């Protein structure tokens, strides 16, 4: 029986992939609807490994999809909705062409099909944990659209929905104290929350005026927003019901118009009847969390607690502050090559009450929205600000005696005075000699906004004097980047991470640079004098005698000496350094014995800093040379394959060490400049 020949392009990779043009024809929809459907279903283009086999030798740029994914889309109910929408769009266009605007409006109002994505959410996320894992991009996109201005591409209704969903999610994070870390970056503010064991990170842009360019396709972004709003609505409902809260929470539109934002939402427990509006539903799903009733009771009593709360005594505040500054136990490394144990983190109870004892007041120049969210997420229930910033503040008067911490971010003048509070310049033009702030409330702590972020990232209250107004702030480092062994760590001092002899080499280098600068200055200033001297030289003065024969003899002697001692240069230098070190130790011991015999104190050794640095550098070079020799002997015992692998490892280590040394060198220069300025 003859075996049938297979036709080319019908099996293998050519059958597993399909072009976008063929996929659109197969689904019988337009290209924009195809893109929209793929975004909803989570289907993305694929790149074949062997593209020539799929394209039958063609090299044209083509977009491919899995054939199985396109076959899966054939049974999607949204295809019918897209076709209905296309038919109604034709009727509306025909009515507008006839000038029947009323009929077109009626068709658009009653016949345009409503698209729901509930079934797609259930298909893509069979479990709730899957939805939480895919929440990072959704939150970043919705927070971005919540800050955009309304335009023809971004309708105001979409912005309002995004703001509402984002504030609902923030309320859940505040209630459960799920926020863990935050970081101020150039792009915006990063947040990380831990919800049901899943770390969720999202980015919130700064509230600047957004100017969208013409190269942004808002139709694609709008499709993602449409899907993400449905997803976050499902997630918020599940999160609220899990801890026993009513969803959606009550929304005060009037307070939101006055800038209330988070304060415009009022949370209620399922088993709590608040003001006769909430009713208990026996058919409602029960709370999964066993602590849901406790959380519901706390939420029910929150309003009364905020209104009737008394001022905390100063003694209790100081006690709590000292309590919070105590760090948790740390596992120190016992040896340089020992394993680094994971450091213990603060418990959720400590995190929840980090800012609980304090009352904060936000100055007008500080970012109110992120500070309010972070302070409330870490336990503070008393956050106030000026009434012009919006409604919902705990206190609106800056002179309120209950305020314990005030966050300010005002620029200072060169002499330390505040730019906004400085009086007009005097007649002589002298700057006012007054430090910021002009008048401070006694018993109140003034800090810059970075203090809040650094406190939550380290899990403890930091020293407020380091973040005082006008002070030079410590570096704000990412809490997710940890320095590895051998890398530059900005949190450590230079003495803890520099190599042996590195500081001495830096001092010698600085001395050489200073000497070269002085010599260059002398040359620049003495050119004219040198020219005058050369022009006034008398006959025979300053002229060299022709000693060509002596020079040739000296050069030949030096060459012979160099040839004879070329191989012993290193050993002789080592021996000289060893002898000098041994002799120095013997002389030091002799001086100690003499001082002990005479009963006089030991006088400090007389020596210049340059000689000491040279000795330290010689010792470090000797140690480094011995380590290299030992490493070379060990390499000789390895196979060729392992030796090549070790060579690549050493290349990476040397590159890392070079970068770390350059950063330490830069920091040492900055410290030197800072000391010189002081």
């Amino acid at each position: 029986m003859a075996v049938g020949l297979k036709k080319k392009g019908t099996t293998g990779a050519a059958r597993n992939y399909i072009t976008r043009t063929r996929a659109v024809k197969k689904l019988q929809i337009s290209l924009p609807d195809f893109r929209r459907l793929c975004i909803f279903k989570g289907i993305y283009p694929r790149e074949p490994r062997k593209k020539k086999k799929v394209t039958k030798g063609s090299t044209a740029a083509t977009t491919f999809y899995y054939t199985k994914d396109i076959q899966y889309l054939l049974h999607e109910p949204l295809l019918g909705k897209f076709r209905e929408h296309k038919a109604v769009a034709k009727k509306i266009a025909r009515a507008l062409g006839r000038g029947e605007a009323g009929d077109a409006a009626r068709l658009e109002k009653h016949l345009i099909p409503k698209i729901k994505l509930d079934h797609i959410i259930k298909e893509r996320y069979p479990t709730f944990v899957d939805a939480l894992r895919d929440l990072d991009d959704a939150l970043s996109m919705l927070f971005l659209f919540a800050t955009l201005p309304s335009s023809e591409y971004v309708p105001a209704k979409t912005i309002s929905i995004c703001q509402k969903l984002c504030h609902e999610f923030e309320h859940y994070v505040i209630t459960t104290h799920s926020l863990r870390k935050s970081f101020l970056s150039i792009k915006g503010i990063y947040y990380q929350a831990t919800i049901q064991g899943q770390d969720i990170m999202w980015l919130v842009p700064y509230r600047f005026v957004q100017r969208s360019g013409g190269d942004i396709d808002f139709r694609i972004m709008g499709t993602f927003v449409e899907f993400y709003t449905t997803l976050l609505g499902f997630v918020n409902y599940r999160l609220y019901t899990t801890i026993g809260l009513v969803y959606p929470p009550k929304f005060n539109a009037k307070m939101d118009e006055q800038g209330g934002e988070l304060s415009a939402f009022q949370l209620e427990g399922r088993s709590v009847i608040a003001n006769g509006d909430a009713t208990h539903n026996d058919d409602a799903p029960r709370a999964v969390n066993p602590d849901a009733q406790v959380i519901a009771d706390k939420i029910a009593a929150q309003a009364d607690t905020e209104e009737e709360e008394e001022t905390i005594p100063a003694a209790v505040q100081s006690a709590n502050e000292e309590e919070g500054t105590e760090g948790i136990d740390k596992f120190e490394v016992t040896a340089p090559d020992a394993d680094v144990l994971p450091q213990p983190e603060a418990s959720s109870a400590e995190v929840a009450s980090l800012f609980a004892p304090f009352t904060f007041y936000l100055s007008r120049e500080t970012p109110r929205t992120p500070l309010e969210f972070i302070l409330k997420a870490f336990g503070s229930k008393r956050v106030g600000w000026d009434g012009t910033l919006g409604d919902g503040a705990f206190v609106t008067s800056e002179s309120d005696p209950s305020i314990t911490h005030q966050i300010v971010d005002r620029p200072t003048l060169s002499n330390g005075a505040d730019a906004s509070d400085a009086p007009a310049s005097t007649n002589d033009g002298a700057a006012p000699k007054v430090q910021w702030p002009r008048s401070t409330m006694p018993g109140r702590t003034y800090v810059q906004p970075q203090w809040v972020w650094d406190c939550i990232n380290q899990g403890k209250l930091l020293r407020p004097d380091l973040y005082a107004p006008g002070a030079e702030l410590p570096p704000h480092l990412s809490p997710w980047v940890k320095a590895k062994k051998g890398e530059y760590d900005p949190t450590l001092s230079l003495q803890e991470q520099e190599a042996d002899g590195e500081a001495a080499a830096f001092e010698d280098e600085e001395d050489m640079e200073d000497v070269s600068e002085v010599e260059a200055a002398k040359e620049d200033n003495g050119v004219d004098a040198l020219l005058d001297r050369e022009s006034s030289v008398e006959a025979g003065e300053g002229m060299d005698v022709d000693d060509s024969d002596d020079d040739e003899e000296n050069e030949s002697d030096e060459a012979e000496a160099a040839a004879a001692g070329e191989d012993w240069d290193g050993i002789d230098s080592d021996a000289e350094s060893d002898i000098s070190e041994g002799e120095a130790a013997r002389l030091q011991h002799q001086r100690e014995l003499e001082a002990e015999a005479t009963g006089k104190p030991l006088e400090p050794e007389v020596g210049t800093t340059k000689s000491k640095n040279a000795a330290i550098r010689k010792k470090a070079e000797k140690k480094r040379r011995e380590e290299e020799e030992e490493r070379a002997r060990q390499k000789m015992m390895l196979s060729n394959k392992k030796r090549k692998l070790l060579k690549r490892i050493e290349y990476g280590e040397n590159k890392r060490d070079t970068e770390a040394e350059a950063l330490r060198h830069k920091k040492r220069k900055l410290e030197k400049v800072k000391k010189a300025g002081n």
Side-chain angles (χ1 to χ4, degrees):
M1 182 177 178
V3 180
L5 299 177
K6 294 182 179 179
K7 189 177 179 180
K8 186 177 180 181
T10 58
T11 58
R15 187 177 180 181
N16 293 336
Y17 294 91
I18 184 174
T19 62
R20 187 179 65 182
T21 304
R22 290 177 56 195
V24 171
K25 289 181 179 180
K26 192 170 186 179
L27 295 175
Q28 297 181 5
I29 57 177
S30 61
L31 182 58
D33 289 341
F34 174 75
R35 289 173 177 168
R36 191 178 180 192
L37 184 61
C38 289
I39 291 173
F40 288 155
K41 300 292 288 187
I43 296 175
Y44 301 97
R46 307 292 178 175
E47 185 68 20
R49 290 185 177 179
K50 299 180 180 179
K51 197 170 183 179
K52 286 189 177 181
K53 288 188 176 181
V54 179
T55 59
K56 301 178 183 180
S58 176
T59 58
T62 312
T63 304
F64 292 95
Y65 292 86
Y66 281 141
T67 305
K68 289 185 177 180
D69 292 342
I70 302 304
Q71 291 177 349
Y72 174 66
L73 291 178
L74 288 171
H75 308 285
E76 175 56 43
L78 287 181
L79 285 176
K81 295 288 185 181
F82 289 158
R83 290 163 184 159
E84 292 177 13
H85 189 280
K86 186 176 181 180
V88 175
K90 286 183 179 180
K91 294 181 181 180
I92 295 174
R94 189 181 300 114
L96 291 175
R98 295 173 181 175
E100 301 172 352
D103 292 343
R106 178 182 55 82
L107 291 173
E108 185 178 3
K109 182 177 181 181
H110 298 288
L111 296 184
I112 289 292
K114 304 296 182 183
I115 296 178
K116 293 185 178 181
L117 307 178
D118 300 355
H119 66 286
I120 296 182
I121 299 296
K122 296 177 182 178
E123 289 175 3
R124 292 186 60 176
Y125 308 107
T127 62
F128 185 62
V129 175
D130 295 332
L132 291 178
R133 290 172 180 170
D134 202 23
L135 206 60
D136 297 358
D137 294 337
L139 289 173
S140 299
M141 180 69 77
L142 295 183
F143 272 100
L144 170 63
F145 268 72
T147 58
L148 290 179
S150 60
S151 62
E152 56 178 339
Y153 304 107
V154 186
K157 184 178 180 181
T158 302
I159 298 174
S160 177
I161 294 174
C162 293
Q163 292 176 351
K164 183 173 178 293
L165 292 172
C166 292
H167 288 153
E168 290 173 356
F169 180 78
E170 286 181 341
H171 267 294
Y172 172 81
V173 174
I174 291 173
T175 305
T176 57
H177 304 290
S178 304
L179 191 64
R180 291 294 176 266
K181 297 175 182 179
S182 181
F183 176 65
L184 299 167
S185 70
I186 299 177
K187 297 180 180 179
I189 305 175
Y190 284 92
Y191 297 97
Q192 182 182 10
T194 303
I195 299 175
Q196 297 188 9
Q198 303 296 323
D199 291 336
I200 302 172
M201 184 186 299
W202 68 96
L203 175 65
V204 179
Y206 296 114
R207 292 200 171 184
F208 298 141
V209 177
Q210 303 287 346
R211 294 182 180 178
S212 57
D215 56 343
I216 300 176
D217 193 348
F218 280 98
R219 292 183 301 173
I220 300 297
M221 297 180 68
T223 305
F224 276 103
V225 169
E226 184 179 358
F227 175 76
Y228 287 150
T229 50
T230 308
L231 171 61
L232 189 57
F234 272 90
V235 170
N236 285 347
Y237 171 78
R238 179 64 180 271
L239 293 176
Y240 272 63
T241 54
T242 300
I243 62 175
L245 295 179
V246 175
Y247 186 83
K250 283 187 175 181
F251 177 68
N252 191 339
K254 184 177 180 181
M255 184 178 291
D256 184 66
E257 291 177 358
Q258 297 175 354
E261 298 187 354
L262 286 175
S263 304
F265 293 84
Q266 182 181 359
L267 306 184
E268 294 177 345
R270 284 185 172 273
S271 60
V272 178
I273 301 176
N275 300 326
D277 296 333
T279 57
H280 180 67
N281 187 3
D282 294 332
D283 298 333
R286 300 296 180 184
V288 181
N289 191 346
D291 298 332
Q293 185 61 37
V294 179
I295 297 177
D297 295 340
K298 289 182 179 180
I299 295 170
Q302 183 175 358
D304 299 334
T305 305
E306 292 181 356
E307 293 178 359
E308 301 176 359
E309 198 161 23
E310 296 180 355
T311 305
I312 302 175
V316 178
Q317 293 176 10
S318 59
N320 291 332
E321 190 168 354
E322 292 176 0
E323 223 176 274
T325 54
E326 294 179 359
I328 55 180
D329 296 337
K330 292 185 179 180
F331 300 132
E332 301 293 343
V333 181
T334 57
D337 299 332
D339 295 334
V340 180
L341 298 176
Q343 301 296 334
E345 297 182 354
S347 62
S348 58
E350 295 176 354
V351 170
S353 60
L354 185 63
F355 298 135
F358 311 126
T359 301
F360 290 90
Y361 184 84
L362 311 179
S363 298
R364 289 179 296 175
E365 70 278 359
T366 58
R368 191 207 101 187
T369 303
L371 284 173
E372 179 189 4
F373 171 59
I374 290 179
L375 292 174
K376 290 184 177 180
F378 283 85
S380 179
K381 296 181 177 61
R382 302 175 300 278
V383 182
W385 54 82
D386 192 87
T388 57
L389 297 179
D391 200 1
F394 179 75
V395 291
T396 57
S397 177
E398 186 176 354
S399 60
D400 194 298
S402 63
I403 299 173
T404 60
H405 289 69
Q406 183 170 346
I407 302 177
V408 296
D409 193 17
R410 300 180 184 177
T412 56
L413 298 176
S414 58
N415 65 334
D418 181 36
S420 60
D421 293 341
S425 58
T426 57
N427 296 331
D428 56 356
K433 302 295 184 180
V434 57
Q435 299 291 330
W436 192 95
R438 182 189 302 274
S439 60
T440 58
M441 297 292 293
R444 183 181 301 182
T445 304
Y446 292 84
V447 292
Q448 298 188 47
Q450 185 181 327
W451 178 79
V452 178
W453 271 270
D454 290 350
C455 284
I456 66 173
N457 289 336
Q458 299 190 24
K460 62 180 181 180
L461 296 176
L462 302 176
R463 291 172 48 188
D465 59 315
L466 299 177
Y467 301 85
E472 184 177 353
L473 296 174
H476 182 59
L477 305 175
S478 172
W480 299 285
V481 178
K482 302 298 181 183
K484 298 179 182 178
K485 183 180 179 181
E487 293 182 351
Y488 174 72
D489 190 357
T491 60
L492 300 177
S493 62
L494 293 174
Q495 291 76 14
E496 296 177 0
Q497 52 183 332
E498 66 184 1
D500 296 338
E502 185 176 336
F506 172 78
E507 293 181 3
D508 293 345
E509 181 181 349
E510 291 294 319
D511 293 341
M512 292 297 293
E513 290 181 359
D514 296 341
V515 171
S516 61
E517 290 177 359
V518 172
E519 290 179 353
K522 287 182 178 179
E523 289 177 359
D524 295 338
N525 296 331
V527 170
D528 298 335
L530 183 61
L531 293 176
D532 294 341
R533 183 179 180 278
E534 288 181 352
S535 60
S536 61
V537 171
E538 298 180 358
E541 180 184 356
M543 299 177 63
D544 295 333
V545 182
D546 187 10
D547 294 336
S548 57
D549 298 337
D550 297 341
D551 292 341
E552 292 178 358
E553 293 177 0
N554 295 334
E555 290 176 0
S556 62
D557 295 341
E558 291 175 358
E560 292 177 359
E566 183 178 3
D567 299 335
W568 302 96
D569 188 15
I571 299 177
D572 290 340
S573 62
D574 292 345
E576 290 175 3
S577 61
D578 293 342
I579 292 173
S580 61
E581 291 176 3
E583 184 67 18
R586 188 186 66 79
L587 294 176
Q588 178 67 14
H589 181 63
Q590 183 66 24
R591 291 173 62 251
E592 292 177 356
L593 293 177
E594 292 178 358
E596 184 179 357
T598 58
K600 297 180 180 180
L602 180 64
E603 297 180 357
E605 184 180 359
V606 179
T608 60
T609 307
K610 188 174 182 180
S611 60
K612 292 180 181 179
N613 292 339
I616 294 174
R617 192 174 62 257
K618 280 186 178 181
K619 188 175 181 180
E621 290 177 356
K622 180 183 177 183
K623 183 180 179 181
R624 193 179 303 112
R625 190 162 49 247
E626 291 176 353
E627 292 177 352
E628 291 177 356
E629 292 175 356
E630 180 65 23
R631 197 176 185 86
R633 284 193 292 267
Q634 293 175 357
K635 285 183 183 179
M636 296 173 61
M637 306 300 295
L638 299 176
S639 62
N640 191 24
K641 183 177 181 181
K642 292 183 178 180
R643 195 179 295 114
K644 290 182 179 179
L645 178 62
L646 182 61
K647 186 177 181 180
R648 290 196 296 268
I649 294 174
E650 289 179 344
Y651 175 78
E653 291 180 350
N654 293 335
K655 185 177 180 181
R656 179 199 62 196
D657 295 341
T658 304
E659 294 176 354
E661 185 177 355
L663 291 173
R664 290 195 296 268
H665 189 80
K666 185 177 180 180
K667 183 177 181 180
R668 196 176 284 108
K669 280 188 175 181
L670 293 175
E671 291 182 352
K672 183 178 180 181
V673 171
K674 190 184 299 183
K675 289 181 180 178
N678 295 335

